């Protein structure tokens, strides 16, 4: 059940019954992400003041070292999840290895693991363009009571129990799914509360926006080149509009609302593209499917890919269902 003006806190409590597992742990986990998102939002919003309050690497007026924002976001999300004693393991784009968390009576009793990209698109910060946080949640597969292992993190996207993102944009929003549709909450910064502003979000089946870094065009596979030419062709509802922010969360968010396709294909420079399967593509794929959209590597469903490494990269095509299927058709026929 959802109603407008509901706060995220109320929504979590009222929807806990619909979770597959109802111990309350997942609710507490989403609550922790909500809290960390607010803290990071506060810092991201001050990014433009860097010349006034000091840049990364400087020492601030209290004698504290200033951190780069992506490191800051990483620390805040990890700290919040650790302190609240909710997860047994965390993996992050910012950390080479996963972190095993041994808490609650030193007995490894927690069941959830989280994979996170704490500040995606961080090259956009210097120019005041939106950035985001992406997260993905699984239940561990190794026995409770033992330390987590790599196996807990290398699960297929289809095993996710929750996923979402925070977009630090003109408004800050938290958008997430627990496998029962996608809901979006907007932060009222004056009082620090997220409100349900976008209930039951869905990709339109068709769209007219394509988002891809066309600077890499000559390096793309022929199928992608052909699809881009198709988008630009004068025919029916085409040419489509090209919009590329260079911040996956923001490009995805816009396409979900307006209808569109995002692509980061492989290229002759990067044989698997750029984006990471576990904490960028899988969570966005889960959201896309829950919002009536589709996510693919060009040939296969993203959430069916069997992961082999923590920081694995994968080509990514995601968005309105009919557009993704059309792109796949071009890939197959190239
Ligand atoms: P990051 O995790 O290093 O920030 O990289 C991921 C970002 C995505 O948000 C964005 O869509 C893409 O990289 C942009 O890459 P490019 O500049 O190559 O187009
Ligand atoms: Mg990233």
């Amino acid at each position: 059940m959802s109603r407008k003006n509901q706060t995220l806190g109320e929504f979590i409590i009222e929807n806990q019954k619909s979770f597959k597992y109802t111990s309350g742990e997942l609710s507490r986990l989403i609550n922790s992400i909500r809290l960390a998102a607010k803290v990071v939002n506060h810092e991201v919003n001050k990014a433009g003041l860097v010349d006034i309050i000091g840049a990364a690497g400087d020492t601030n007026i209290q004698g504290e070292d200033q951190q780069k924002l992506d490191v800051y976001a990483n620390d805040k999300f990890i700290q919040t999840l650790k302190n609240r004693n909710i997860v047994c393991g965390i993996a992050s784009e910012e950390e080479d290895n996963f972190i095993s968390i041994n808490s609650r009576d030193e007995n490894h009793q927690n069941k959830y693991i989280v994979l996170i990209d704490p500040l995606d698109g961080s090259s956009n910060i210097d120019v005041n363009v939106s950035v985001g946080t992406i997260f993905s949640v699984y239940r561990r597969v190794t026995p409770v009571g033992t330390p987590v292992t790599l196996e807990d993190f290398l699960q297929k996207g289809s095993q996710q129990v929750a996923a979402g993102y925070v977009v630090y944009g003109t408004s800050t929003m938290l958008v997430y799914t627990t496998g029962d549709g996608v809901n979006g909450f907007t932060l009222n910064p004056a009082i620090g509360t997220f409100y349900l502003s976008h209930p039951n979000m869905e990709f339109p089946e068709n769209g007219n926006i394509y988002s891809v870094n066309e600077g890499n065009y000559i390096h793309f596979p022929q199928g992608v080149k052909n699809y881009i030419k198709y988008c630009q062709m004068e025919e029916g509802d085409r040419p489509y509009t090209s919009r590329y922010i260079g911040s996956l969360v923001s490009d995805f968010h816009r396409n979900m609302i307006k209808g569109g396709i995002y692509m980061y294909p492989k290229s002759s420079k990067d044989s698997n593209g750029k984006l990471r399967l576990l904490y960028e593509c899988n969570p966005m794929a889960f959201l896309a499917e829950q919002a009536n959209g589709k996510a693919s590597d060009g040939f296969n469903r993203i959430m069916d890919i069997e992961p082999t490494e923590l920081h694995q990269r994968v080509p990514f095509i995601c968005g309105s269902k009919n557009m993704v299927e059309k792109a796949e058709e071009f890939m197959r026929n190239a």
Side-chain angles (χ1 to χ4, degrees):
M1 285 295 288
S2 66
R3 57 188 156 78
K4 282 237 176 183
N5 294 331
Q6 209 172 8
T7 66
L8 174 55
E10 289 167 347
F11 182 91
I12 291 171
I13 294 166
E14 288 171 30
N15 287 274
Q16 192 173 306
K17 290 183 292 297
S18 68
F19 292 171
K20 204 164 147 198
Y21 309 101
T22 51
S23 66
E25 267 181 75
L26 187 56
S27 300
R28 292 201 296 129
L29 201 164
I30 308 280
N31 260 323
S32 303
I33 288 174
R34 170 184 70 154
L35 177 65
K38 284 196 254 188
V39 175
V40 170
N41 175 64
H42 183 69
E43 207 61 24
V44 167
N45 278 344
K46 291 191 297 188
L49 293 168
V50 83
D51 289 342
I52 298 163
I53 58 178
D58 290 353
T59 306
N60 72 11
I61 199 151
Q62 285 90 24
E64 297 157 345
D65 291 333
Q66 301 279 311
Q67 288 178 313
K68 282 183 79 167
L69 272 177
D70 40 15
V71 178
Y72 178 87
N74 187 50
D75 289 354
K76 285 297 157 209
F77 276 98
I78 291 177
Q79 242 176 45
T80 311
L81 291 167
K82 263 187 177 172
N83 290 350
R84 300 189 134 208
N85 191 12
I86 295 167
V87 295
C88 51
I90 304 174
S92 162
E93 177 170 344
E94 297 288 330
E95 308 277 342
D96 291 341
N97 298 311
F98 65 85
I99 302 166
S100 173
I101 297 170
N102 183 8
S103 48
R104 199 189 286 173
D105 305 328
E106 306 290 298
N107 215 4
H108 301 282
Q109 288 302 309
N110 293 329
K111 294 181 211 69
Y112 290 100
I113 63 136
V114 172
L115 295 113
I116 191 159
D117 182 353
L119 212 57
D120 183 65
S122 46
S123 63
N124 282 316
I125 289 173
D126 292 346
V127 289
N128 205 356
V129 170
S130 302
V131 290
T133 296
I134 308 172
F135 63 91
S136 169
V137 182
Y138 294 83
R139 281 171 79 90
R140 64 181 303 173
V141 288
T142 53
V144 171
T146 62
V148 286
T149 71
L150 188 57
E151 199 192 335
D152 293 307
F153 295 90
L154 299 187
Q155 300 189 52
K156 285 199 287 192
S158 54
Q159 297 300 111
Q160 286 171 105
V161 293
Y165 60 78
V166 185
V167 54
Y168 310 96
T170 40
S171 284
T172 291
M173 283 190 70
L174 195 158
V175 176
Y176 80 100
T177 182
T178 51
D180 187 24
V182 175
N183 290 286
F185 301 82
T186 302
L187 181 67
N188 178 345
I191 53 173
T193 302
F194 280 104
Y195 287 98
L196 178 62
S197 52
H198 295 64
N200 305 317
M201 297 179 84
E202 288 204 340
F203 275 92
E205 286 214 321
N206 287 300
N208 63 7
I209 296 172
Y210 71 103
S211 315
V212 59
N213 185 343
E214 284 185 72
N216 294 328
Y217 183 86
I218 56 161
H219 300 287
F220 286 154
Q222 195 55 43
V224 175
K225 287 182 178 166
N226 294 347
Y227 178 68
I228 292 175
K229 285 292 154 222
Y230 167 86
C231 294
Q232 297 170 340
M233 208 179 280
E234 194 100 35
E235 197 183 327
D237 61 346
R238 285 169 286 134
Y240 295 152
T241 295
S242 166
R243 288 282 181 274
Y244 188 70
I245 297 171
S247 193
L248 169 64
V249 169
S250 311
D251 279 310
F252 179 99
H253 187 73
R254 182 205 51 242
N255 290 347
M256 178 158 61
I257 290 173
K258 295 195 164 179
I261 185 169
Y262 172 96
M263 296 184 283
Y264 210 109
K266 71 176 190 180
S267 70
S268 50
K269 290 190 299 183
D270 303 306
S271 57
N272 288 310
K274 174 184 184 188
L275 300 181
R276 317 296 184 126
L277 173 62
L278 293 178
Y279 42 80
E280 292 178 322
C281 302
N282 269 339
M284 292 318 230
F286 190 22
L287 287 160
E289 290 195 9
Q290 284 294 317
N292 201 30
K294 197 166 178 178
S296 147
D297 68 356
F299 301 94
N300 309 295
R301 180 182 181 225
I302 287 292
M303 292 206 290
D304 283 340
I305 297 173
E306 198 76 62
T308 52
E309 7 169 340
L310 206 50
H311 298 288
Q312 182 174 347
R313 296 176 198 266
V314 73
F316 190 54
I317 300 182
C318 176
S320 291
K321 201 183 273 175
N322 292 346
M323 297 181 87
V324 173
E325 282 171 4
K326 193 73 185 172
E328 287 178 322
E329 189 184 312
F330 275 96
M331 301 292 288
R332 272 196 310 274
N333 296 334

